[in-house]
Amino acid sequence: MKPHIIKQLSVFFIATSFCLFFSCKKESVIKSTATNFDTKFIVHKDFSKKNNSPEFKNYWYTGKAEISSYKLEQARYGKIREGHAVLVFVTEDFLPKPQVKADNQNPTNIPILKLNATKNFVTGIYPYSIMQSTFYPVVNTKHALKVSASVQEWCGHVYVQLNNREQFEINSHSYFEGEADAAFKINKTILENELWTKLRINPQSLPTGQLQIIPSLEHSRLQHLNIKAYNAHATLNANTYSINYPELNRTLSITFNPKFPFDILSWEDTYKSGFGTNAKVLTTKATKLKTIKLAYWEKKNLEDESLRDTLKLN
């Protein structure tokens, strides 16, 4: 090959590589920008706003969680079982797209009030452990961003997760044949799970009247109900919020302190418990024992077990 042709080809390859480099670099920047500003799962900008009332900030943004223990009388298999319930409320920053807790502060994070609600009781020889998690934006005008529930007992394990995206996306896993490995979507409406956190922010904002409500994930799994909205009627009288589900023959009543921070004092949940000839209408009850505020995630040493005595959980 002649020298002048080699020189021309070299210039061509250098120019082509230069263009490709900047073309790829530009495409990379564009993709990155699209990712950073992807608002598919952010419905309104006000998701990022915090509740700015001084009493709310002074109580909820102190780096501590609020932990309340309750004496539990749980209806299961047509009998009342004794146990404990715990409600853990804490504020966190939430990542809108992956819908998990944020490890770092960022302007796109969504401030939430999280509720981890647990129940522990025994049915005969074997124990039940139930936990529900609700991630609710403190702006208090949107649905929960995520709700999950798990039930563990010696027969097996059940897990359900609801993600708030364009619709409510639900994934359910269970050892029961009819409930195993299901994934589906439903239209957005009121979630019973989110009402507990909404109450803590402002009880007067609770919905009342004839409504469509999706029962708690715990209740749906224990009763083997389809996870969907049911007709309901809700009332708010003084310091009690009640929901009646005519189709389910069920009434839930939550009693709370009418003054800030609107702590939950007790609740009653009446429905048919058991199956077949053992089924009867019973009332699950929970009555508050103790409330403490602390950074419980730092209390993991042996000497910290005494805090369970404080909460009357032993």
Side-chain angles (χ1 to χ4, degrees):
M1 188 176 292
K2 295 182 180 180
H4 72 281
I5 295 177
I6 295 174
K7 185 176 182 180
Q8 288 176 351
L9 287 173
S10 298
V11 171
F12 172 77
F13 283 120
I14 291 171
T16 302
S17 299
F18 183 83
C19 292
L20 284 172
F21 172 78
F22 278 96
S23 175
C24 292
K25 189 173 183 180
K26 184 177 180 180
E27 183 181 11
S28 175
V29 170
I30 292 172
K31 285 183 177 179
S32 175
T33 302
T35 300
N36 290 340
F37 292 92
D38 185 354
T39 58
K40 184 177 180 181
F41 304 135
I42 305 175
V43 182
H44 292 285
K45 291 181 180 179
D46 63 1
F47 259 136
S48 62
K49 294 179 181 177
K50 287 187 177 181
N51 186 316
N52 291 316
S53 70
E55 60 181 0
F56 189 92
K57 289 192 294 184
N58 292 337
Y59 187 84
W60 290 111
Y61 291 106
T62 60
K64 296 179 180 180
E66 179 202 83
I67 307 166
S68 296
S69 58
Y70 298 80
K71 177 186 176 182
L72 177 66
E73 300 170 61
Q74 177 72 40
R76 189 64 178 152
Y77 302 126
K79 303 288 184 181
I80 296 295
R81 323 289 178 153
E82 293 187 355
H84 288 102
V86 176
L87 302 184
V88 182
F89 287 93
V90 63
T91 50
E92 291 179 349
D93 273 5
F94 196 73
L95 293 174
K97 189 170 183 180
Q99 298 197 343
V100 294
K101 176 184 175 182
D103 289 333
N104 301 293
Q105 291 189 343
N106 189 292
T108 61
N109 291 348
I110 299 174
I112 62 161
L113 179 61
K114 181 177 74 174
L115 167 60
N116 281 338
T118 67
K119 288 181 175 180
N120 295 93
F121 58 93
V122 172
T123 56
I125 190 174
Y126 63 95
Y128 263 79
S129 179
I130 302 173
M131 180 170 177
Q132 298 185 95
S133 294
T134 302
F135 303 81
Y136 185 72
V138 298
V139 71
N140 195 30
T141 57
K142 312 300 172 191
H143 290 300
L145 300 175
K146 182 178 178 179
V147 180
S148 62
S150 60
V151 181
Q152 303 90 39
E153 39 96 1
W154 286 4
C155 293
H157 176 79
V158 175
Y159 181 78
V160 185
Q161 180 169 301
L162 179 151
N163 291 86
N164 180 354
R165 295 196 169 100
E166 292 181 355
Q167 289 181 284
F168 285 157
E169 299 179 2
I170 299 169
N171 285 276
S172 177
H173 304 279
S174 171
Y175 65 91
F176 287 104
E177 179 183 356
E179 301 171 357
D181 301 327
F184 55 97
K185 299 178 182 180
I186 58 177
N187 292 331
K188 296 181 183 182
T189 188
I190 298 166
L191 293 161
E192 181 185 310
N193 286 92
E194 71 192 2
L195 296 175
W196 296 70
T197 45
K198 191 176 184 69
L199 183 159
R200 296 304 310 276
I201 296 172
N202 179 9
Q204 297 305 313
S205 69
L206 290 165
T208 58
Q210 299 296 330
L211 306 166
Q212 287 274 299
I213 302 179
I214 300 171
S216 71
L217 297 184
E218 172 200 327
H219 185 80
S220 296
R221 292 305 78 190
L222 291 181
Q223 298 298 103
H224 304 288
L225 300 174
N226 291 329
I227 299 175
K228 65 175 188 176
Y230 292 83
N231 293 323
H233 184 265
T235 58
L236 178 63
N237 298 316
N239 65 332
T240 300
Y241 182 65
S242 297
I243 306 170
N244 176 254
Y245 297 90
E247 298 172 73
L248 305 179
N249 191 26
R250 177 185 175 222
T251 300
L252 170 67
S253 296
I254 308 170
T255 301
F256 57 92
N257 180 357
K259 297 181 180 179
F260 185 87
F262 314 120
D263 44 304
I264 293 170
L265 305 177
S266 64
W267 68 87
E268 294 188 358
D269 196 357
T270 301
Y271 52 90
K272 183 178 288 187
S273 174
F275 305 96
T277 57
N278 292 325
K280 62 183 71 173
V281 176
L282 295 174
T283 300
T284 290
K285 298 179 182 180
T287 306
K288 188 159 82 163
L289 297 170
K290 184 71 175 179
T291 294
I292 60 175
K293 288 191 69 181
L294 78 165
Y296 66 86
W297 48 90
E298 298 174 353
K299 306 298 182 182
K300 46 184 174 285
N301 296 315
L302 289 175
E303 55 268 27
D304 296 324
E305 291 181 7
S306 61
L307 291 167
R308 294 186 63 80
D309 294 324
T310 303
L311 286 166
K312 302 180 181 181
L313 291 175
N314 289 330

